[in-house]
C-alpha cells in the first residue's frame, strides 16, 4: 500500500509562483514513477510533469519552461515548482506514483490563478 498526500495549493495572482509538495507513505520502496497531473474545469486530466527512472524528468506542453519537478529522497517527497503562473493553470493538481505496476493517486490540491 502507498498513500500520497499533496499540499501547497491555493490562490495566486497571475505571474506569481507556487510550490506543490507530495509526501509518500506506506510501502514506498521501488516506486517506479512519480509525477503530477492536473484537471481543469471542463477538461480531461493531463500530465504536468513526471520523474523518470534514469533520474530525468518529462513535462507536458503547458508547463514547459515554467514548471520544475524535483524529489527529496530523505523526506520521500516530490515537489512541483511553478513560476509564471497563468489563469489557464487553474486546476486541481494530483500527485501520482506507480508501485509494482499499480497506480496510486493523491486526493488533489486546488490551484487557482487570478488574472
Amino acid at each position: 500500500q502507498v498513500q500520497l498526500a499533496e499540499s501547497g495549493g491555493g490562490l495566486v495572482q497571475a505571474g506569481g509562483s507556487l510550490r506543490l509538495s507530495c509526501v509518500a507513505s506506506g510501502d514506498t520502496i521501488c516506486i517506479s514513477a512519480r509525477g503530477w497531473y492536473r484537471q481543469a474545469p471542463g477538461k480531461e486530466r493531463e500530465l504536468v510533469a513526471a520523474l523518470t527512472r534514469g533520474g530525468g524528468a518529462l513535462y507536458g506542453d503547458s508547463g514547459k519552461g515554467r514548471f520544475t519537478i524535483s524529489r527529496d529522497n530523505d523526506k520521500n517527497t516530490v515537489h512541483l515548482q511553478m513560476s509564471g503562473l497563468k489563469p489557464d493553470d487553474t486546476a486541481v493538481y494530483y500527485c501520482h506514483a506507480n508501485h509494482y505496476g499499480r497506480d496510486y493517486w493523491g486526493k488533489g490540491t486546488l490551484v487557482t490563478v487570478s488574472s
Side-chain angles (χ1 to χ4, degrees):
Q1 289 285 340
V2 174
Q3 296 82 42
L4 305 174
E6 305 101 331
S7 63
L11 176 64
V12 64
Q13 189 174 353
S17 300
L18 203 63
R19 187 182 72 173
L20 308 182
S21 299
C22 174
V23 179
S25 60
D27 185 8
T28 59
I29 300 176
C30 297
I31 294 180
S32 299
R34 298 184 68 180
W36 291 92
Y37 290 71
R38 73 184 187 186
Q39 187 167 18
K43 297 183 178 181
E44 296 183 352
R45 189 172 299 184
E46 64 174 338
L47 172 69
V48 178
L51 297 168
T52 64
R53 292 181 60 86
L58 58 89
Y59 296 91
D61 292 336
S62 61
K64 289 181 179 178
R66 300 184 297 121
F67 296 174
T68 302
I69 187 171
S70 62
R71 182 174 183 175
D72 187 340
N73 290 328
D74 293 338
K75 300 180 179 180
N76 213 1
T77 302
V78 64
H79 303 281
L80 181 67
Q81 179 67 48
M82 303 184 292
S83 300
L85 286 166
K86 307 173 182 179
D88 287 344
D89 295 320
T90 296
V92 177
Y93 286 71
Y94 297 91
C95 183
H96 167 264
N98 184 275
H99 186 245
Y100 290 102
R102 300 292 183 181
D103 291 321
Y104 294 86
W105 297 90
K107 66 181 185 300
T109 183
L110 176 63
V111 173
T112 303
V113 183
S114 62
S115 60

